[in-house]
Amino acid sequence: MRFFSNYFILFFCPLLSSQNTAQLDSLLRKGIEARIEMQYPLSLEILTNVRTVAEENQWYKQQFLALNNIGTNYYAMLDYGEALDNYLEAYTIALKHLDNNEEMIVLNNIAILYSKEGDLLKAQEYFLKAYVQAKEHNESIKIGIYAVNLGIVANQLNRLDEATNYLKEANEMLQHKPSIAIIGDIALAENKYKRGEFLVAQSLAQQILPKLDPIANIEERVLLLILLSNIAKDIDEGENSILYAQQALHAAENYENKIMAYEQLATVYEKSKLYSKALRAKDSLISLNASVNNMKNGKLFETNRVKFEIADYQRELKLNKELNQRETTTLYGLLGAAILVIFLIAWALRNMYLKNKQRKILNKRSKEIINLELQKKESDNLLLEKQLVAKETMALLEQERLRNEIENRNRKLATKALQISSRNELLKEVINSLSGQTEVTKNALLSKKVKELKMLLKGDAEWESFLTHFEEVNHGFLSTLKKNHPELTVNDIRYLSNLYMDLSSKEIASLFNITVEASRKRKERISSKIGLKDSQQLYSYISSI
């Protein structure tokens, strides 16, 4: 089969250039059909021939379609570099010679390609060009489609307000195209999720899910189920999170969707502490990635083989054409005069000279372009480094500001603690003074007031308020302390909180209504619980938490 297709193209394509565009369109359809049937080498041979003939005859529509479909062939074969080259060449032809419809088609293809490569800013740039074209020609359906694409990219770039505006516009334009509008609805649910509006996002996603066609919207169904799984995970609905992830895996058909589903399963299993299942999901993910890599390597090998065959095919075309020219030249040389032969030789030498000259010019320009690109990359890298330094500086300043704010609040808490300590000392003196007087012990009312003062010293309400404020200022200190040392009592934690603010043993003793010696012994006992040999190390230890 391969032999016959080569034979047909090699020997009959010289006749094709003398025929009309209708016959070229017929051959173009054959090339597209071969691409759809994944016969990429045959498709590329046919489309390359169509492109050559169309270029020679300046049939720009056929040249554009050939280039666009050649790019699509390479895209399917995972050779994104060749695909982009052909799309950009098709875009140039559309700009110079065709109308906006072809321009929008190839702009969308280029944007999708950049999106696959992970270059979201470039993808946004070309989607935006297509969107502006559609706006200028007031094509509502295309405006809606490109607005959906722009909304999806803006979501991925975390430009959530921008994404919302595009998606709202898309919803207005695609009211009569529910099969396309539903993709915008999914992107809107994703937008709500990224904003932290989990319940709103969950409600939207659950409304969309039954509307998806089980065959036509497989990829959208997988993405929506993964979104629902993430929402359930973030609102602590572990079982639902796992269930949605399993449904996504069941719905996935291609490798890309299966990889996303396994990644989600591994994440939700791990959060639910189902470690064995998480490991199995990760093992499946690793195996699947290996299969994808093998498949990509195979496709890249096939791409390189096809490139070689096309180059060989073009060389054969050239040789065949040159052979015909030589035979014609020989025929005319035999019939003509010797002067004609000399003229033809001079003409051939001149052509060779011009080609060599052009080749040198092209080489020189290529080197200049490469140097310019290298300079641009260097400037981009320098700019990126400056931005990173600026971000690091801002982060350090923010950390310093937060540290100063915490120290300031701790000073206020320490002051409040010292005020409580002073009050307790004063209350002790008053109680001791009153308790030593006979008149007080005999007077029932005064004795009752003295007891109330003693109860005030033992009250915990102010300590509870103090600890609440302390945790707000030193976020995470108490929880970390409890996690690392669960054997500590409530009084131990209170003691350490006051010590953390650098209060002396005397001040802490006053706050706890105990003696200084009792405060010192408590410090030693807590140090022993924590595992410190020397109680003098206690302050340094808790300061490092």
Side-chain angles (χ1 to χ4, degrees):
M1 182 65 186
R2 172 76 179 161
F3 170 81
F4 288 115
S5 65
N6 283 344
Y7 182 86
F8 170 81
I9 294 168
L10 187 61
F11 292 101
F12 288 90
C13 71
L15 300 175
L16 193 61
S17 59
S18 64
Q19 297 177 1
N20 56 34
T21 56
Q23 291 167 319
L24 199 64
D25 288 340
S26 175
L27 193 60
L28 184 64
R29 284 193 293 272
K30 290 181 180 179
I32 295 171
E33 289 170 2
R35 174 180 62 78
I36 293 170
E37 294 172 2
M38 295 187 291
Q39 297 179 16
Y40 301 123
L42 177 60
S43 176
L44 284 168
E45 286 178 355
I46 295 172
L47 293 170
T48 301
N49 182 59
V50 171
R51 172 195 172 185
T52 302
V53 174
E55 188 174 4
E56 288 175 354
N57 291 277
Q58 296 184 348
W59 294 337
Y60 298 115
K61 180 68 176 289
Q62 286 75 17
Q63 187 181 356
F64 167 84
L65 291 172
L67 284 166
N68 192 55
N69 281 283
I70 288 171
T72 306
N73 268 289
Y74 282 120
Y75 175 83
M77 298 172 74
L78 306 179
D79 191 343
Y80 295 147
E82 285 289 337
L84 182 59
D85 287 344
N86 284 279
Y87 283 150
L88 290 173
E89 192 172 348
Y91 177 54
T92 303
I93 292 170
L95 282 176
K96 289 183 178 179
H97 306 290
L98 302 175
D99 59 26
N100 65 294
N101 186 56
E102 283 79 10
E103 184 180 346
M104 283 188 288
I105 289 171
V106 75
L107 281 171
N108 192 59
N109 288 343
I110 293 170
I112 291 171
L113 191 59
Y114 276 124
S115 178
K116 284 285 186 182
E117 287 282 76
D119 194 342
L120 296 177
L121 293 176
K122 277 288 186 182
Q124 186 184 50
E125 176 186 344
Y126 283 94
F127 277 137
L128 187 59
K129 286 182 179 180
Y131 170 82
V132 170
Q133 285 281 348
K135 280 265 189 181
E136 288 176 356
H137 295 84
N138 198 27
E139 295 187 37
S140 58
I141 301 299
K142 289 183 178 178
I143 292 171
I145 292 171
Y146 301 141
V148 168
N149 290 335
L150 284 166
I152 292 170
V153 173
N155 267 346
Q156 292 172 324
L157 291 169
N158 284 321
R159 297 175 181 173
L160 302 181
D161 291 335
E162 181 182 337
T164 301
N165 292 334
Y166 281 126
L167 294 172
K168 285 182 179 178
E169 183 180 19
N171 186 53
E172 295 173 2
M173 296 293 175
L174 299 172
Q175 291 179 2
H176 303 296
K177 292 285 183 180
S179 61
I180 304 174
I182 202 165
I183 300 173
D185 294 338
I186 295 171
L188 183 60
E190 177 75 16
N191 185 275
K192 296 294 183 184
Y193 169 70
K194 284 179 174 285
R195 290 177 185 273
E197 298 176 20
F198 299 132
L199 296 180
V200 176
Q202 186 182 55
S203 177
L204 283 173
Q206 288 173 344
Q207 291 173 25
I208 296 167
L209 190 59
K211 299 177 183 178
L212 293 174
D213 189 287
I215 297 174
N217 300 117
I218 290 174
E219 185 169 355
E220 288 79 11
R221 186 177 187 84
V222 172
L223 292 173
L224 192 61
L225 287 167
I226 289 175
L227 173 61
L228 284 167
S229 177
N230 278 323
I231 295 169
K233 172 172 64 70
D234 289 341
I235 62 177
D236 294 325
E237 293 181 2
E239 292 182 0
N240 285 337
S241 179
I242 292 170
L243 180 62
Y244 283 126
Q246 289 172 340
Q247 289 177 358
L249 179 61
H250 180 72
E253 286 191 353
N254 60 43
Y255 284 104
E256 185 178 357
N257 289 339
K258 286 181 180 179
I259 286 172
M260 289 191 297
Y262 274 122
E263 286 176 341
Q264 184 66 17
L265 268 176
T267 301
V268 296
Y269 279 143
E270 188 173 0
K271 184 173 182 183
S272 300
K273 298 182 179 180
L274 300 172
Y275 298 118
S276 61
K277 291 186 177 181
L279 285 173
R280 286 199 296 272
K282 288 181 179 179
D283 288 340
S284 299
L285 181 61
I286 292 169
S287 175
L288 195 59
N289 277 322
S291 299
V292 171
N293 288 332
N294 289 335
M295 182 184 71
K296 284 185 177 180
N297 291 334
K299 290 222 173 193
L300 288 173
F301 173 80
E302 177 69 8
T303 301
N304 292 329
R305 185 183 67 79
V306 170
K307 287 180 184 177
F308 172 79
E309 290 180 358
I310 288 175
D312 186 62
Y313 153 73
Q314 290 176 330
R315 183 183 64 82
E316 290 174 354
L317 280 177
K318 185 178 179 182
L319 289 173
N320 184 59
K321 189 174 181 180
E322 289 175 352
L323 179 61
N324 290 335
Q325 288 176 346
R326 282 196 299 270
E327 289 176 352
T328 304
T329 303
T330 303
L331 178 63
Y332 281 104
L334 293 174
L335 298 174
I339 190 168
L340 182 60
V341 174
I342 295 171
F343 172 78
L344 290 174
I345 293 172
W347 177 78
L349 290 173
R350 179 178 176 276
N351 279 346
M352 289 176 63
Y353 169 77
L354 290 175
K355 285 181 180 179
N356 287 331
K357 187 176 179 180
Q358 289 175 348
R359 191 178 296 110
K360 289 178 181 178
I361 293 170
L362 288 173
N363 287 336
K364 183 179 177 182
R365 288 182 180 175
S366 296
K367 289 179 181 178
E368 290 174 352
I369 291 170
I370 290 170
N371 288 333
L372 288 173
E373 289 179 350
L374 289 173
Q375 290 174 6
K376 182 178 180 301
K377 285 183 179 178
E378 287 177 1
S379 64
D380 290 345
N381 289 335
L382 288 173
L383 180 61
L384 182 61
E385 287 177 5
K386 289 180 181 179
Q387 290 175 346
L388 289 173
V389 170
K391 287 182 180 178
E392 289 175 358
T393 304
M394 291 299 293
L396 290 172
L397 289 173
E398 180 64 15
Q399 288 177 2
E400 184 64 25
R401 185 187 69 78
L402 291 173
R403 184 162 49 251
N404 291 336
E405 185 177 342
I406 289 172
E407 288 177 358
N408 184 44
R409 291 187 180 182
N410 275 335
R411 283 196 294 272
K412 290 181 180 179
L413 285 173
T415 302
K416 183 176 179 181
L418 290 175
Q419 288 174 352
I420 294 171
S421 173
S422 298
R423 188 203 66 178
N424 288 351
E425 288 291 337
L426 181 60
L427 287 175
K428 283 181 186 178
E429 290 178 7
V430 171
I431 291 168
N432 291 335
S433 175
L434 292 174
S435 299
Q437 296 181 18
T438 309
E439 293 83 354
V440 174
T441 56
K442 292 179 179 180
N443 189 316
L445 179 61
L446 290 176
S447 297
K448 180 180 178 183
K449 295 298 181 181
V450 169
K451 288 180 180 178
E452 289 177 356
L453 288 175
K454 289 180 178 180
M455 291 299 293
L456 182 62
L457 283 175
K458 296 179 181 179
D460 290 337
E462 290 191 4
W463 281 113
E464 293 295 333
S465 173
F466 170 79
L467 288 174
T468 300
H469 290 296
F470 179 86
E471 176 63 11
E472 289 175 357
V473 173
N474 302 281
H475 183 68
F477 171 77
L478 293 179
S479 59
T480 303
L481 189 62
K482 291 175 183 177
K483 180 181 177 182
N484 293 344
H485 304 287
E487 69 278 4
L488 293 175
T489 65
V490 174
N491 283 331
D492 292 341
I493 292 173
R494 287 181 178 177
Y495 186 92
L496 291 173
S497 299
N498 286 285
L499 183 62
Y500 183 77
M501 294 188 299
D502 202 20
L503 297 182
S504 66
S505 295
K506 182 179 179 182
E507 290 166 340
I508 295 174
S510 175
L511 287 170
F512 277 78
N513 195 23
I514 59 177
T515 65
V516 176
E517 180 63 22
S519 175
R520 184 184 61 78
K521 289 182 178 180
R522 178 172 292 187
K523 183 177 180 181
E524 291 176 352
R525 186 174 65 255
I526 294 172
S527 298
S528 178
K529 281 185 180 182
I530 290 175
L532 300 175
K533 294 180 179 180
D534 187 357
S535 62
Q536 297 301 320
Q537 300 174 351
L538 184 58
Y539 176 75
S540 297
Y541 173 73
I542 63 173
S543 296
S544 65
I545 294 179

